[in-house]
Amino acid sequence: MNLLPTEPPACTKDASTLCGQVFQVTNNEWLSASAGWLVTKPIKILMIVAVAFLLRYLVRRLINRVTRMPSGSKKLPALLRPLREKAPEVLGSAVMERRRQRAATIGSVLKSMATLLIYGLAFILVLGELGIDLAPIIASAGIVGVALGFGAQNLVKDFLSGIFMMIEDQYGVGDVVDVGEASGTVEAVGLRITTLRDINGTVWYVRNGEVLRVGNSSQGFAVAVVDVPLSYSADVEKATELMAAKAKTLLEGEALAPNVLEPPEMLGVESVTPEGIKLRLTVKVRPGKQWAVQRALRANLLAALDEAGFEPPLGRYMSSPPASR
């Protein structure tokens, strides 16, 4: 039985096709029958790869353009304009670093997603041109993806939390936050890790996926709360009037006035303890300035009450004993 072909392929009889043209030039049946695969397929694959590289380059340039902050400009990058921003203006120069880092991080995520999508699609198209059955490959990739997802679920959780935190602008560089186990000023924000520095100078690295709740002291406004202790024998009404007048005068001064948003509010008696009475005063201030205002008010109010003759709690026990004769 003769298994070798006795006649040339049918395509060689059509001179208008690539197969027919190659057969006329080479008179080689195998080469003419394979011309489409040897010439057309590589050209298509090269075109797919070239288009993928070009598309990725253009997309990355576009992302860089919308995430770039012009030098010295205070405007938001184009990428952040549709998103809500909670950065307080009181942070000053830290706002610029916060915006730059937020835009750069979101841009990095978009670049990675675009690269994965474009190259993945190009890879599938190349395999299709080579005549490879994609069903087993896709099924295997799905199984591998599930396995990696289970093995790296904490890492995926950190990245997803970081992405949503960036988009929602829950906190950023310069904010004073409490994330549970650590609290302090945010120094850097990444997709996986947030870096804090507490009041003692210790740097904390917090995984974004482990942050269940965030207390941000640097958004919108803050409230300075001052509790002043008095003895039981003190005239509460007179002390209240004195504290309100003194606080108003102090907050209208040049040192504290830029930080104050509303006049102080004297709430009166906050608590009664075995040691004495506590009077509470509050004032609405700019975010992040509550601690400085509290310290200034506390020191001046205590001094004013002392000058007016108000005795502190347990004053008779805490005062110095009379000198011996």
Side-chain angles (χ1 to χ4, degrees):
M1 183 177 179
N2 187 9
L3 299 178
L4 296 175
T6 57
E7 295 182 1
C11 63
T12 59
K13 299 177 181 179
D14 188 357
S16 63
T17 64
L18 180 62
C19 175
Q21 294 174 3
V22 171
F23 184 76
Q24 289 180 357
V25 174
T26 64
N27 201 29
N28 187 302
E29 298 175 4
W30 178 87
L31 187 60
S32 60
S34 305
W37 195 92
L38 294 175
V39 178
T40 307
K41 294 292 184 181
I43 292 177
K44 288 184 178 180
I45 292 174
L46 288 176
M47 288 182 62
I48 291 173
V49 173
V51 170
F53 273 106
L54 178 61
L55 185 59
R56 176 180 177 270
Y57 172 75
L58 295 177
V59 171
R60 290 177 68 90
R61 278 195 57 126
L62 178 61
I63 294 174
N64 287 334
R65 185 171 183 178
V66 298
T67 58
R68 184 180 56 205
M69 289 188 64
S71 179
S73 174
K74 295 184 178 181
K75 293 183 178 180
L76 281 172
L79 180 66
L80 299 183
R81 290 172 193 168
L83 303 177
R84 183 179 180 185
E85 185 184 38
K86 302 175 183 176
E89 295 181 0
V90 72
L91 294 178
S93 59
V95 174
M96 304 301 297
E97 175 61 20
R98 174 191 180 121
R99 291 172 176 172
R100 185 201 62 77
Q101 192 174 78
R102 185 185 178 203
T105 305
I106 297 177
S108 176
V109 174
L110 293 178
K111 289 178 185 177
S112 299
M113 293 175 61
T115 299
L116 181 62
L117 181 62
I118 293 171
Y119 283 171
L121 182 59
F123 180 70
I124 292 175
L125 292 176
V126 169
L127 292 181
E129 288 295 330
L130 295 176
I132 299 175
D133 187 8
L134 300 179
I137 297 177
I138 294 176
S140 301
I143 295 173
V144 173
V146 172
L148 291 176
F150 277 109
Q153 53 184 320
N154 288 334
L155 184 62
V156 174
K157 181 181 178 182
D158 293 340
F159 272 93
L160 290 178
S161 299
I163 290 172
F164 282 108
M165 182 271 297
M166 284 284 182
I167 293 176
E168 296 169 359
D169 196 24
Q170 297 175 9
Y171 55 83
V173 175
D175 282 353
V176 179
V177 300
D178 181 353
V179 294
E181 295 296 329
S183 60
T185 303
V186 178
E187 290 194 341
V189 178
L191 286 178
R192 196 179 73 87
I193 292 292
T194 294
T195 306
L196 305 176
R197 187 178 296 274
D198 66 15
I199 193 172
N200 297 318
T202 303
V203 177
W204 295 84
Y205 299 94
V206 183
R207 286 174 45 200
N208 294 330
E210 296 297 319
V211 178
L212 301 180
R213 53 95 172 144
V214 179
N216 196 326
S217 301
S218 304
Q219 288 183 358
F221 65 89
V223 177
V225 181
V226 179
D227 290 333
V228 177
L230 291 175
S231 66
Y232 282 114
S233 60
D235 186 338
V236 175
E237 184 176 354
K238 183 178 179 181
T240 300
E241 294 176 355
L242 175 63
M243 288 176 58
K246 182 65 177 178
K248 182 179 180 181
T249 302
L250 183 65
L251 294 175
E252 289 176 351
E254 295 182 0
L256 297 180
N259 300 326
V260 179
L261 300 178
E262 293 183 0
E265 182 178 1
M266 192 68 208
L267 302 182
V269 178
E270 170 62 22
S271 63
V272 178
T273 65
E275 291 79 19
I277 302 172
K278 282 186 179 180
L279 300 183
R280 173 163 291 184
L281 179 142
T282 63
V283 55
K284 190 174 181 179
V285 298
R286 295 186 180 278
K289 300 297 182 181
Q290 60 268 39
W291 299 288
V293 173
Q294 285 173 181
R295 287 191 291 267
L297 283 175
R298 192 176 292 115
N300 284 271
L301 291 180
L302 287 175
L305 290 173
D306 186 61
E307 291 178 0
F310 286 91
E311 187 177 353
L314 303 178
R316 64 176 65 90
Y317 302 107
M318 303 296 292
S319 59
S320 302
S324 58
R325 296 180 180 179

